[in-house]
Amino acid sequence: MRVILIGPPGAGKGTQSERIMAEYPLAHISTGDILRENVKNGTELGKSAKSFMDAGKLVPDDVIIRMMKERLAKDDARKGFLLDGFPRTTPQAEALGTLLKELSLPLDAVLLLEISDDEVVNRLCNRRVCSSCGAIYNALSHPPKKDRVCDECGGEVTQRDDDKETVIRSRLSVYHEQTSPLISYYDGKGLLHRVGAAGAPDTALLYIETMKLGV
Ligand code: AMP
């Protein structure tokens, strides 16, 4: 099964991915996670990406496309993947199409997580993340049991630098300008499916189950 999750920041791509991964043995490939790992480890890629990420802007296409060519060529991706946060621009989608054609790995579906901008701002201002294992919390509706300590691994639970309101607004306008054209791009290919993302965190998983894609 080869699926892309598209949606604005805060639509719950990470949380929905966790639910899907609990049921299907797919490679979960999140460009945001790969970039944050590189920033944390101080790699050249991390150093060049950090200023874009902190400003809520997209990292340049050539950097992302190079990174994803390497990632998708790995063995685990051949068995099926869930792309989370990629592609985010039309050139990225076109490069992905070419690459998957070369690898003979056609896409099965693109799930669009739909949610309003107000709900996104509300969610992201309260989002907290474990800096060790990536577990996701909400300061109001789902805080860690012990203040700032991860329930799963004991790591430190913090707010992402780009989850501040001004940066969130900037990430939303980037989404509307640069990523939303992918909706008609994939709709035109007959791959787009719309999934409500304002409520439960497993709507994408339920949708996949109804599609009976197989693994
Ligand atoms: P995310 O965790 O998916 O919200 O990504 C966090 C940040 O990483 C984004 O705001 C961008 O700066 C960068 N990023 C992640 N994926 C991409 C992508 N496909 N293209 C460009 N920048 C990206």
PDB file of all heavy atoms in Angstrom, residues 9-10 13 30-33 35-36 49 52-54 56-61 64 67 84-89 92 127 160 162 171, ligand 1:
ATOM      1  N   PRO A   9      -0.692  22.233   8.270  1.00  0.00           N
ATOM      2  CA  PRO A   9      -0.020  21.934   9.528  1.00  0.00           C
ATOM      3  C   PRO A   9      -1.095  21.835  10.610  1.00  0.00           C
ATOM      4  O   PRO A   9      -2.058  22.600  10.590  1.00  0.00           O
ATOM      5  CB  PRO A   9       0.868  23.168   9.757  1.00  0.00           C
ATOM      6  CG  PRO A   9       0.295  24.248   8.887  1.00  0.00           C
ATOM      7  CD  PRO A   9      -0.317  23.544   7.722  1.00  0.00           C
ATOM      8  N   GLY A  10      -0.978  20.866  11.491  1.00  0.00           N
ATOM      9  CA  GLY A  10      -1.949  20.749  12.575  1.00  0.00           C
ATOM     10  C   GLY A  10      -3.177  19.947  12.214  1.00  0.00           C
ATOM     11  O   GLY A  10      -4.075  19.757  13.040  1.00  0.00           O
ATOM     12  N   LYS A  13      -1.522  14.984  10.769  1.00  0.00           N
ATOM     13  CA  LYS A  13      -0.882  13.986   9.900  1.00  0.00           C
ATOM     14  C   LYS A  13      -0.061  13.004  10.733  1.00  0.00           C
ATOM     15  O   LYS A  13      -0.105  11.802  10.502  1.00  0.00           O
ATOM     16  CB  LYS A  13       0.009  14.671   8.854  1.00  0.00           C
ATOM     17  CG  LYS A  13      -0.764  15.550   7.875  1.00  0.00           C
ATOM     18  CD  LYS A  13       0.107  16.064   6.748  1.00  0.00           C
ATOM     19  CE  LYS A  13       1.141  17.075   7.184  1.00  0.00           C
ATOM     20  NZ  LYS A  13       0.601  18.362   7.677  1.00  0.00           N
ATOM     21  N   SER A  30       8.200  10.770   7.136  1.00  0.00           N
ATOM     22  CA  SER A  30       7.789  12.141   7.412  1.00  0.00           C
ATOM     23  C   SER A  30       8.972  13.062   7.140  1.00  0.00           C
ATOM     24  O   SER A  30      10.008  12.966   7.808  1.00  0.00           O
ATOM     25  CB  SER A  30       7.350  12.258   8.879  1.00  0.00           C
ATOM     26  OG  SER A  30       7.504  13.581   9.335  1.00  0.00           O
ATOM     27  N   THR A  31       8.827  13.948   6.157  1.00  0.00           N
ATOM     28  CA  THR A  31       9.942  14.855   5.843  1.00  0.00           C
ATOM     29  C   THR A  31      10.226  15.775   7.035  1.00  0.00           C
ATOM     30  O   THR A  31      11.379  16.070   7.327  1.00  0.00           O
ATOM     31  CB  THR A  31       9.654  15.690   4.576  1.00  0.00           C
ATOM     32  OG1 THR A  31       8.288  16.083   4.583  1.00  0.00           O
ATOM     33  CG2 THR A  31       9.942  14.907   3.329  1.00  0.00           C
ATOM     34  N   GLY A  32       9.167  16.197   7.743  1.00  0.00           N
ATOM     35  CA  GLY A  32       9.378  17.057   8.917  1.00  0.00           C
ATOM     36  C   GLY A  32      10.228  16.337   9.966  1.00  0.00           C
ATOM     37  O   GLY A  32      11.169  16.913  10.525  1.00  0.00           O
ATOM     38  N   ASP A  33       9.929  15.052  10.223  1.00  0.00           N
ATOM     39  CA  ASP A  33      10.708  14.287  11.218  1.00  0.00           C
ATOM     40  C   ASP A  33      12.163  14.128  10.764  1.00  0.00           C
ATOM     41  O   ASP A  33      13.088  14.259  11.564  1.00  0.00           O
ATOM     42  CB  ASP A  33      10.103  12.884  11.424  1.00  0.00           C
ATOM     43  CG  ASP A  33       8.822  12.925  12.256  1.00  0.00           C
ATOM     44  OD1 ASP A  33       8.501  13.995  12.807  1.00  0.00           O
ATOM     45  OD2 ASP A  33       8.139  11.875  12.335  1.00  0.00           O
ATOM     46  N   LEU A  35      13.847  16.064   8.784  1.00  0.00           N
ATOM     47  CA  LEU A  35      14.533  17.360   8.893  1.00  0.00           C
ATOM     48  C   LEU A  35      14.846  17.693  10.353  1.00  0.00           C
ATOM     49  O   LEU A  35      15.957  18.131  10.672  1.00  0.00           O
ATOM     50  CB  LEU A  35      13.668  18.465   8.265  1.00  0.00           C
ATOM     51  CG  LEU A  35      13.511  18.394   6.743  1.00  0.00           C
ATOM     52  CD1 LEU A  35      12.408  19.340   6.273  1.00  0.00           C
ATOM     53  CD2 LEU A  35      14.823  18.736   6.043  1.00  0.00           C
ATOM     54  N   ARG A  36      13.876  17.465  11.259  1.00  0.00           N
ATOM     55  CA  ARG A  36      14.119  17.785  12.680  1.00  0.00           C
ATOM     56  C   ARG A  36      15.260  16.939  13.245  1.00  0.00           C
ATOM     57  O   ARG A  36      16.070  17.409  14.033  1.00  0.00           O
ATOM     58  CB  ARG A  36      12.837  17.587  13.505  1.00  0.00           C
ATOM     59  CG  ARG A  36      11.900  18.796  13.449  1.00  0.00           C
ATOM     60  CD  ARG A  36      10.705  18.648  14.362  1.00  0.00           C
ATOM     61  NE  ARG A  36       9.784  17.631  13.905  1.00  0.00           N
ATOM     62  CZ  ARG A  36       8.876  17.823  12.935  1.00  0.00           C
ATOM     63  NH1 ARG A  36       8.748  18.994  12.361  1.00  0.00           N
ATOM     64  NH2 ARG A  36       8.084  16.841  12.552  1.00  0.00           N
ATOM     65  N   ALA A  49      18.495  23.639   6.577  1.00  0.00           N
ATOM     66  CA  ALA A  49      17.021  23.637   6.665  1.00  0.00           C
ATOM     67  C   ALA A  49      16.498  24.485   7.827  1.00  0.00           C
ATOM     68  O   ALA A  49      15.387  25.005   7.776  1.00  0.00           O
ATOM     69  CB  ALA A  49      16.520  22.190   6.823  1.00  0.00           C
ATOM     70  N   PHE A  52      14.720  28.007   7.481  1.00  0.00           N
ATOM     71  CA  PHE A  52      13.416  27.932   6.791  1.00  0.00           C
ATOM     72  C   PHE A  52      12.360  27.403   7.749  1.00  0.00           C
ATOM     73  O   PHE A  52      11.249  27.910   7.824  1.00  0.00           O
ATOM     74  CB  PHE A  52      13.502  26.994   5.573  1.00  0.00           C
ATOM     75  CG  PHE A  52      14.410  27.489   4.489  1.00  0.00           C
ATOM     76  CD1 PHE A  52      15.703  26.998   4.359  1.00  0.00           C
ATOM     77  CD2 PHE A  52      13.973  28.458   3.592  1.00  0.00           C
ATOM     78  CE1 PHE A  52      16.542  27.468   3.355  1.00  0.00           C
ATOM     79  CE2 PHE A  52      14.803  28.930   2.581  1.00  0.00           C
ATOM     80  CZ  PHE A  52      16.098  28.441   2.471  1.00  0.00           C
ATOM     81  N   MET A  53      12.721  26.352   8.478  1.00  0.00           N
ATOM     82  CA  MET A  53      11.756  25.723   9.386  1.00  0.00           C
ATOM     83  C   MET A  53      11.347  26.692  10.502  1.00  0.00           C
ATOM     84  O   MET A  53      10.167  26.822  10.812  1.00  0.00           O
ATOM     85  CB  MET A  53      12.347  24.441   9.980  1.00  0.00           C
ATOM     86  CG  MET A  53      12.620  23.399   8.919  1.00  0.00           C
ATOM     87  SD  MET A  53      13.555  22.015   9.540  1.00  0.00           S
ATOM     88  CE  MET A  53      12.300  21.141  10.461  1.00  0.00           C
ATOM     89  N   ASP A  54      12.319  27.385  11.083  1.00  0.00           N
ATOM     90  CA  ASP A  54      12.006  28.309  12.176  1.00  0.00           C
ATOM     91  C   ASP A  54      11.098  29.437  11.714  1.00  0.00           C
ATOM     92  O   ASP A  54      10.297  29.957  12.480  1.00  0.00           O
ATOM     93  CB  ASP A  54      13.297  28.898  12.768  1.00  0.00           C
ATOM     94  CG  ASP A  54      14.040  27.867  13.610  1.00  0.00           C
ATOM     95  OD1 ASP A  54      13.461  26.798  13.887  1.00  0.00           O
ATOM     96  OD2 ASP A  54      15.202  28.131  13.981  1.00  0.00           O
ATOM     97  N   GLY A  56       8.814  29.078   9.432  1.00  0.00           N
ATOM     98  CA  GLY A  56       7.557  28.525   8.937  1.00  0.00           C
ATOM     99  C   GLY A  56       7.522  28.453   7.422  1.00  0.00           C
ATOM    100  O   GLY A  56       6.463  28.326   6.821  1.00  0.00           O
ATOM    101  N   LYS A  57       8.714  28.546   6.790  1.00  0.00           N
ATOM    102  CA  LYS A  57       8.757  28.487   5.314  1.00  0.00           C
ATOM    103  C   LYS A  57       9.144  27.088   4.862  1.00  0.00           C
ATOM    104  O   LYS A  57       9.674  26.294   5.653  1.00  0.00           O
ATOM    105  CB  LYS A  57       9.800  29.472   4.799  1.00  0.00           C
ATOM    106  CG  LYS A  57       9.441  30.901   5.120  1.00  0.00           C
ATOM    107  CD  LYS A  57      10.236  31.848   4.244  1.00  0.00           C
ATOM    108  CE  LYS A  57       9.803  33.271   4.507  1.00  0.00           C
ATOM    109  NZ  LYS A  57      10.932  34.133   4.814  1.00  0.00           N
ATOM    110  N   LEU A  58       8.932  26.823   3.577  1.00  0.00           N
ATOM    111  CA  LEU A  58       9.323  25.511   3.059  1.00  0.00           C
ATOM    112  C   LEU A  58      10.815  25.466   2.765  1.00  0.00           C
ATOM    113  O   LEU A  58      11.391  26.448   2.275  1.00  0.00           O
ATOM    114  CB  LEU A  58       8.550  25.185   1.778  1.00  0.00           C
ATOM    115  CG  LEU A  58       7.040  24.963   1.930  1.00  0.00           C
ATOM    116  CD1 LEU A  58       6.442  24.516   0.600  1.00  0.00           C
ATOM    117  CD2 LEU A  58       6.722  23.951   3.016  1.00  0.00           C
ATOM    118  N   VAL A  59      11.418  24.327   3.037  1.00  0.00           N
ATOM    119  CA  VAL A  59      12.811  24.083   2.670  1.00  0.00           C
ATOM    120  C   VAL A  59      12.821  23.948   1.137  1.00  0.00           C
ATOM    121  O   VAL A  59      11.873  23.390   0.561  1.00  0.00           O
ATOM    122  CB  VAL A  59      13.298  22.788   3.368  1.00  0.00           C
ATOM    123  CG1 VAL A  59      14.700  22.406   2.926  1.00  0.00           C
ATOM    124  CG2 VAL A  59      13.229  22.964   4.898  1.00  0.00           C
ATOM    125  N   PRO A  60      13.866  24.476   0.455  1.00  0.00           N
ATOM    126  CA  PRO A  60      13.835  24.460  -1.022  1.00  0.00           C
ATOM    127  C   PRO A  60      13.614  23.067  -1.617  1.00  0.00           C
ATOM    128  O   PRO A  60      14.106  22.059  -1.085  1.00  0.00           O
ATOM    129  CB  PRO A  60      15.224  25.009  -1.398  1.00  0.00           C
ATOM    130  CG  PRO A  60      15.617  25.858  -0.233  1.00  0.00           C
ATOM    131  CD  PRO A  60      15.043  25.183   0.978  1.00  0.00           C
ATOM    132  N   ASP A  61      12.879  23.061  -2.736  1.00  0.00           N
ATOM    133  CA  ASP A  61      12.507  21.797  -3.385  1.00  0.00           C
ATOM    134  C   ASP A  61      13.697  20.894  -3.681  1.00  0.00           C
ATOM    135  O   ASP A  61      13.630  19.682  -3.464  1.00  0.00           O
ATOM    136  CB  ASP A  61      11.776  22.086  -4.713  1.00  0.00           C
ATOM    137  CG  ASP A  61      10.343  22.548  -4.492  1.00  0.00           C
ATOM    138  OD1 ASP A  61       9.776  22.227  -3.431  1.00  0.00           O
ATOM    139  OD2 ASP A  61       9.804  23.229  -5.379  1.00  0.00           O
ATOM    140  N   ILE A  64      14.780  18.940  -0.642  1.00  0.00           N
ATOM    141  CA  ILE A  64      13.791  17.932  -0.226  1.00  0.00           C
ATOM    142  C   ILE A  64      13.759  16.768  -1.222  1.00  0.00           C
ATOM    143  O   ILE A  64      13.709  15.597  -0.837  1.00  0.00           O
ATOM    144  CB  ILE A  64      12.380  18.578  -0.152  1.00  0.00           C
ATOM    145  CG1 ILE A  64      12.362  19.670   0.923  1.00  0.00           C
ATOM    146  CG2 ILE A  64      11.294  17.546   0.087  1.00  0.00           C
ATOM    147  CD1 ILE A  64      12.410  19.174   2.341  1.00  0.00           C
ATOM    148  N   MET A  67      16.720  14.514  -0.779  1.00  0.00           N
ATOM    149  CA  MET A  67      16.557  13.755   0.476  1.00  0.00           C
ATOM    150  C   MET A  67      15.557  12.595   0.288  1.00  0.00           C
ATOM    151  O   MET A  67      15.790  11.471   0.729  1.00  0.00           O
ATOM    152  CB  MET A  67      16.047  14.746   1.534  1.00  0.00           C
ATOM    153  CG  MET A  67      15.792  14.220   2.883  1.00  0.00           C
ATOM    154  SD  MET A  67      15.264  15.621   3.932  1.00  0.00           S
ATOM    155  CE  MET A  67      13.516  15.275   4.068  1.00  0.00           C
ATOM    156  N   ASP A  84       4.182  11.462   4.763  1.00  0.00           N
ATOM    157  CA  ASP A  84       3.555  12.424   5.675  1.00  0.00           C
ATOM    158  C   ASP A  84       4.325  13.746   5.551  1.00  0.00           C
ATOM    159  O   ASP A  84       5.473  13.837   5.964  1.00  0.00           O
ATOM    160  CB  ASP A  84       3.643  11.778   7.071  1.00  0.00           C
ATOM    161  CG  ASP A  84       3.478  12.721   8.234  1.00  0.00           C
ATOM    162  OD1 ASP A  84       3.311  13.917   8.017  1.00  0.00           O
ATOM    163  OD2 ASP A  84       3.524  12.231   9.371  1.00  0.00           O
ATOM    164  N   GLY A  85       3.698  14.731   4.913  1.00  0.00           N
ATOM    165  CA  GLY A  85       4.365  16.029   4.765  1.00  0.00           C
ATOM    166  C   GLY A  85       5.148  16.169   3.470  1.00  0.00           C
ATOM    167  O   GLY A  85       5.865  17.146   3.276  1.00  0.00           O
ATOM    168  N   PHE A  86       5.038  15.207   2.599  1.00  0.00           N
ATOM    169  CA  PHE A  86       5.689  15.244   1.277  1.00  0.00           C
ATOM    170  C   PHE A  86       4.781  14.531   0.298  1.00  0.00           C
ATOM    171  O   PHE A  86       4.272  13.467   0.632  1.00  0.00           O
ATOM    172  CB  PHE A  86       7.050  14.542   1.338  1.00  0.00           C
ATOM    173  CG  PHE A  86       7.696  14.409  -0.029  1.00  0.00           C
ATOM    174  CD1 PHE A  86       8.458  15.435  -0.548  1.00  0.00           C
ATOM    175  CD2 PHE A  86       7.527  13.248  -0.789  1.00  0.00           C
ATOM    176  CE1 PHE A  86       9.051  15.311  -1.802  1.00  0.00           C
ATOM    177  CE2 PHE A  86       8.117  13.129  -2.042  1.00  0.00           C
ATOM    178  CZ  PHE A  86       8.883  14.160  -2.540  1.00  0.00           C
ATOM    179  N   PRO A  87       4.552  15.069  -0.892  1.00  0.00           N
ATOM    180  CA  PRO A  87       5.048  16.330  -1.422  1.00  0.00           C
ATOM    181  C   PRO A  87       4.270  17.523  -0.872  1.00  0.00           C
ATOM    182  O   PRO A  87       3.140  17.380  -0.412  1.00  0.00           O
ATOM    183  CB  PRO A  87       4.815  16.182  -2.927  1.00  0.00           C
ATOM    184  CG  PRO A  87       3.644  15.262  -3.042  1.00  0.00           C
ATOM    185  CD  PRO A  87       3.741  14.331  -1.882  1.00  0.00           C
ATOM    186  N   ARG A  88       4.879  18.696  -0.953  1.00  0.00           N
ATOM    187  CA  ARG A  88       4.252  19.913  -0.455  1.00  0.00           C
ATOM    188  C   ARG A  88       4.195  20.993  -1.519  1.00  0.00           C
ATOM    189  O   ARG A  88       3.669  22.083  -1.246  1.00  0.00           O
ATOM    190  CB  ARG A  88       5.054  20.448   0.726  1.00  0.00           C
ATOM    191  CG  ARG A  88       4.359  20.215   2.084  1.00  0.00           C
ATOM    192  CD  ARG A  88       5.343  20.595   3.114  1.00  0.00           C
ATOM    193  NE  ARG A  88       4.868  21.054   4.364  1.00  0.00           N
ATOM    194  CZ  ARG A  88       4.986  20.348   5.486  1.00  0.00           C
ATOM    195  NH1 ARG A  88       5.390  19.107   5.463  1.00  0.00           N
ATOM    196  NH2 ARG A  88       4.665  20.885   6.638  1.00  0.00           N
ATOM    197  N   THR A  89       4.749  20.733  -2.678  1.00  0.00           N
ATOM    198  CA  THR A  89       4.692  21.708  -3.789  1.00  0.00           C
ATOM    199  C   THR A  89       4.488  20.906  -5.083  1.00  0.00           C
ATOM    200  O   THR A  89       4.754  19.691  -5.108  1.00  0.00           O
ATOM    201  CB  THR A  89       6.019  22.488  -3.938  1.00  0.00           C
ATOM    202  OG1 THR A  89       7.045  21.557  -4.277  1.00  0.00           O
ATOM    203  CG2 THR A  89       6.396  23.237  -2.689  1.00  0.00           C
ATOM    204  N   GLN A  92       7.637  19.158  -6.259  1.00  0.00           N
ATOM    205  CA  GLN A  92       7.903  17.943  -5.460  1.00  0.00           C
ATOM    206  C   GLN A  92       7.004  16.793  -5.921  1.00  0.00           C
ATOM    207  O   GLN A  92       7.436  15.647  -6.028  1.00  0.00           O
ATOM    208  CB  GLN A  92       7.665  18.201  -3.972  1.00  0.00           C
ATOM    209  CG  GLN A  92       8.698  19.109  -3.319  1.00  0.00           C
ATOM    210  CD  GLN A  92       8.460  19.311  -1.831  1.00  0.00           C
ATOM    211  OE1 GLN A  92       7.755  18.549  -1.173  1.00  0.00           O
ATOM    212  NE2 GLN A  92       9.060  20.356  -1.282  1.00  0.00           N
ATOM    213  N   ARG A 127      -0.240  22.266  21.075  1.00  0.00           N
ATOM    214  CA  ARG A 127       0.459  21.002  20.815  1.00  0.00           C
ATOM    215  C   ARG A 127       1.779  20.953  21.587  1.00  0.00           C
ATOM    216  O   ARG A 127       2.508  21.932  21.639  1.00  0.00           O
ATOM    217  CB  ARG A 127       0.739  20.850  19.321  1.00  0.00           C
ATOM    218  CG  ARG A 127       1.564  19.593  19.019  1.00  0.00           C
ATOM    219  CD  ARG A 127       1.484  19.187  17.592  1.00  0.00           C
ATOM    220  NE  ARG A 127       2.270  20.049  16.717  1.00  0.00           N
ATOM    221  CZ  ARG A 127       2.411  19.807  15.408  1.00  0.00           C
ATOM    222  NH1 ARG A 127       1.819  18.767  14.845  1.00  0.00           N
ATOM    223  NH2 ARG A 127       3.115  20.631  14.663  1.00  0.00           N
ATOM    224  N   ARG A 160       7.156  22.814  19.983  1.00  0.00           N
ATOM    225  CA  ARG A 160       8.026  23.004  18.824  1.00  0.00           C
ATOM    226  C   ARG A 160       8.226  24.488  18.575  1.00  0.00           C
ATOM    227  O   ARG A 160       7.307  25.273  18.749  1.00  0.00           O
ATOM    228  CB  ARG A 160       7.374  22.362  17.582  1.00  0.00           C
ATOM    229  CG  ARG A 160       7.750  20.922  17.405  1.00  0.00           C
ATOM    230  CD  ARG A 160       6.948  20.231  16.325  1.00  0.00           C
ATOM    231  NE  ARG A 160       6.864  20.940  15.051  1.00  0.00           N
ATOM    232  CZ  ARG A 160       6.323  20.423  13.954  1.00  0.00           C
ATOM    233  NH1 ARG A 160       5.826  19.184  13.985  1.00  0.00           N
ATOM    234  NH2 ARG A 160       6.257  21.110  12.842  1.00  0.00           N
ATOM    235  N   ASP A 162       8.287  26.020  15.906  1.00  0.00           N
ATOM    236  CA  ASP A 162       7.402  26.552  14.863  1.00  0.00           C
ATOM    237  C   ASP A 162       5.922  26.418  15.223  1.00  0.00           C
ATOM    238  O   ASP A 162       5.060  26.612  14.388  1.00  0.00           O
ATOM    239  CB  ASP A 162       7.708  25.905  13.494  1.00  0.00           C
ATOM    240  CG  ASP A 162       7.568  24.393  13.489  1.00  0.00           C
ATOM    241  OD1 ASP A 162       7.322  23.805  14.553  1.00  0.00           O
ATOM    242  OD2 ASP A 162       7.689  23.795  12.408  1.00  0.00           O
ATOM    243  N   ARG A 171       2.846  29.387   8.368  1.00  0.00           N
ATOM    244  CA  ARG A 171       2.808  28.030   7.798  1.00  0.00           C
ATOM    245  C   ARG A 171       1.481  27.786   7.087  1.00  0.00           C
ATOM    246  O   ARG A 171       1.423  27.112   6.056  1.00  0.00           O
ATOM    247  CB  ARG A 171       3.026  26.990   8.907  1.00  0.00           C
ATOM    248  CG  ARG A 171       4.466  26.985   9.412  1.00  0.00           C
ATOM    249  CD  ARG A 171       4.598  26.294  10.750  1.00  0.00           C
ATOM    250  NE  ARG A 171       4.326  24.877  10.691  1.00  0.00           N
ATOM    251  CZ  ARG A 171       3.985  24.139  11.745  1.00  0.00           C
ATOM    252  NH1 ARG A 171       3.839  24.699  12.935  1.00  0.00           N
ATOM    253  NH2 ARG A 171       3.773  22.862  11.612  1.00  0.00           N
TER     254      ARG A 171
HETATM  255  P1  AMP B   1       6.009  19.268   9.438  1.00  0.00           P
HETATM  256  O1  AMP B   1       6.491  18.536  10.640  1.00  0.00           O
HETATM  257  O2  AMP B   1       5.579  18.336   8.337  1.00  0.00           O
HETATM  258  O3  AMP B   1       4.975  20.323   9.757  1.00  0.00           O
HETATM  259  O4  AMP B   1       7.280  20.052   8.839  1.00  0.00           O
HETATM  260  C1  AMP B   1       7.963  21.036   9.603  1.00  0.00           C
HETATM  261  C2  AMP B   1       8.741  21.973   8.684  1.00  0.00           C
HETATM  262  O5  AMP B   1       9.707  21.217   7.920  1.00  0.00           O
HETATM  263  C3  AMP B   1       7.903  22.691   7.638  1.00  0.00           C
HETATM  264  O6  AMP B   1       7.294  23.871   8.153  1.00  0.00           O
HETATM  265  C4  AMP B   1       8.963  23.000   6.579  1.00  0.00           C
HETATM  266  O7  AMP B   1       9.809  24.080   6.980  1.00  0.00           O
HETATM  267  C5  AMP B   1       9.806  21.737   6.591  1.00  0.00           C
HETATM  268  N1  AMP B   1       9.281  20.716   5.651  1.00  0.00           N
HETATM  269  C6  AMP B   1       8.737  19.501   5.959  1.00  0.00           C
HETATM  270  N2  AMP B   1       8.382  18.826   4.855  1.00  0.00           N
HETATM  271  C7  AMP B   1       8.706  19.641   3.812  1.00  0.00           C
HETATM  272  C8  AMP B   1       8.560  19.525   2.395  1.00  0.00           C
HETATM  273  N3  AMP B   1       8.005  18.445   1.828  1.00  0.00           N
HETATM  274  N4  AMP B   1       8.999  20.560   1.637  1.00  0.00           N
HETATM  275  C9  AMP B   1       9.571  21.664   2.176  1.00  0.00           C
HETATM  276  N5  AMP B   1       9.717  21.836   3.503  1.00  0.00           N
HETATM  277  C10 AMP B   1       9.292  20.838   4.316  1.00  0.00           C
END
